Amino acid sequence: MRWKILLTFCCLSWCLALRAEPRELQISVGDWPPYLSSELRHNGVIAHIISDLFAEEGYRVSFRFLPWPRAYSATAAGKFDATGVWMHKGEREADFLFSAPLLDEQFVFFHLKSQPFDWHRFDDLAGMTLGGGLEYSYGPTFDAFLAKGTVKMERVSSDQQNFDKLLKERVVLYPQEMNVGYAALARHFTPAERARITHHPRPLLVNRSYLMLPKRLAGSQALLQRFNQRLQAFRDSGRYDRYFQDLQAGKYTLSEEEAAQR
């Protein structure tokens, strides 16, 4: 009789385990379309990758959109399971574990088609006026070039302001991550305005970004290992690249009906 009771208990436990909801992970992010945005399908392509990666490991992801400084500090304090996406900086290692590279960013110079532009070295930009983001780093090499003062950078708080200044010829160049720049143009400007702007194909910076997991949480190391292994599997199978093919095909843009429901 005992073995029958034990067998019944084991079967019930097994069935309940199968029906159990996957554990939810809380991840803080900043708004950075087309990679991360509450106004895009799947919250953007990077959010989609993160969700699917963890889903393959048995987790459900909930994203919390916050100002970037708050996303950083709250996650460092252990209030979130992870935060994304961030460039690597040595000082961040005190609080976080870094995943394998999740995104390769390509920063380019946007300019007007009516003002042909070419460059090979940063010194080729001498005397030009550039747009830029407030307190924004364009990598140590270009930041050092800016510090020399051979070009002027007028910094404002948004892509929209920078592209508006470019259209009005108040700046000659605007350095920005390529997909981020074109997402801002699509969001804020008319087709006629967008048609006036292009970018130089030579990148001024190729930067890698990472998911960061807080050292304060005991499970971060094990979770990081599972994430990295699954990310490599996505890359090896070609699945990772398909997300970005969908991005280029416009599949992350919400329809008018979907946007109205949000």
Side-chain angles (χ1 to χ4, degrees):
M1 177 64 96
R2 283 185 176 181
W3 69 268
K4 290 183 178 181
I5 295 173
L6 181 60
L7 180 62
T8 301
F9 176 78
C10 290
C11 288
L12 287 173
S13 299
W14 181 72
C15 290
L16 288 172
L18 288 178
R19 296 179 181 178
E21 289 292 323
R23 183 196 161 194
E24 182 172 333
L25 296 176
Q26 298 281 340
I27 299 181
S28 70
V29 292
D31 189 72
W32 197 39
Y35 299 124
L36 296 162
S37 175
S38 59
E39 297 181 1
L40 292 174
R41 190 173 288 124
H42 302 293
N43 291 316
V45 61
I46 288 298
H48 193 194
I49 293 172
I50 293 171
S51 293
D52 285 355
L53 280 168
F54 278 125
E56 295 285 327
E57 294 295 322
Y59 295 93
R60 183 177 69 252
V61 173
S62 176
F63 291 101
R64 178 80 177 275
F65 283 86
L66 297 170
W68 288 101
R70 186 177 164 198
Y72 184 100
S73 61
T75 308
K79 296 180 180 178
F80 292 92
D81 295 288
T83 183
V85 289
W86 301 83
M87 66 182 293
H88 180 272
K89 289 186 177 181
E91 60 267 27
R92 292 175 177 167
E93 292 181 354
D95 295 314
F96 292 101
L97 302 171
F98 285 80
S99 72
L102 182 58
L103 171 66
D104 289 335
E105 307 164 21
Q106 182 169 286
F107 283 76
V108 295
F109 289 113
F110 286 89
H111 64 93
L112 294 178
K113 293 178 180 178
S114 61
Q115 296 183 354
F117 162 72
D118 194 16
W119 73 283
H120 297 277
R121 302 178 303 159
F122 289 148
D123 287 338
D124 295 335
L125 313 179
M128 296 183 179
T129 301
L130 282 59
L134 291 176
E135 300 181 4
Y136 198 88
S137 170
Y138 296 92
T141 304
F142 193 62
D143 287 350
F145 170 73
L146 291 174
K148 292 166 56 178
T150 56
V151 298
K152 178 182 179 182
M153 176 171 276
E154 297 182 356
R155 295 179 180 266
V156 293
S157 61
S158 70
D159 291 319
Q160 182 177 5
Q161 289 174 295
N162 274 302
F163 280 120
D164 187 59
K165 292 173 72 173
L166 186 64
L167 287 165
K168 293 176 179 177
E169 300 185 20
R170 292 169 55 190
V171 298
V172 179
L173 304 172
Y174 175 42
Q176 179 55 285
E177 203 281 331
M178 183 172 63
N179 287 321
V180 172
Y182 280 112
L185 285 168
R187 185 177 184 180
H188 299 294
F189 295 91
T190 67
E193 290 171 325
R194 298 198 297 269
R196 295 176 55 199
I197 295 176
T198 189
H199 73 276
H200 193 281
R202 184 188 305 278
L204 70 114
L205 170 68
V206 176
N207 183 56
R208 287 179 165 178
S209 289
Y210 306 81
L211 188 72
M212 300 195 307
L213 286 73
K215 289 184 174 180
R216 183 179 291 266
L217 295 182
S220 288
Q221 185 63 60
L223 188 63
L224 178 69
Q225 183 176 357
R226 296 177 68 176
F227 180 84
N228 285 345
Q229 289 174 344
R230 187 64 63 174
L231 175 58
Q232 188 60 53
F234 272 35
R235 290 185 181 277
D236 292 343
S237 68
R239 183 173 176 179
Y240 177 90
D241 292 331
R242 289 195 288 273
Y243 290 94
F244 291 92
Q245 293 167 5
D246 287 346
L247 174 65
Q248 297 304 320
K251 294 184 179 180
Y252 286 93
T253 302
L254 293 174
S255 66
E256 291 185 4
E257 181 178 347
E258 289 172 321
Q261 293 174 351
R262 292 206 170 192

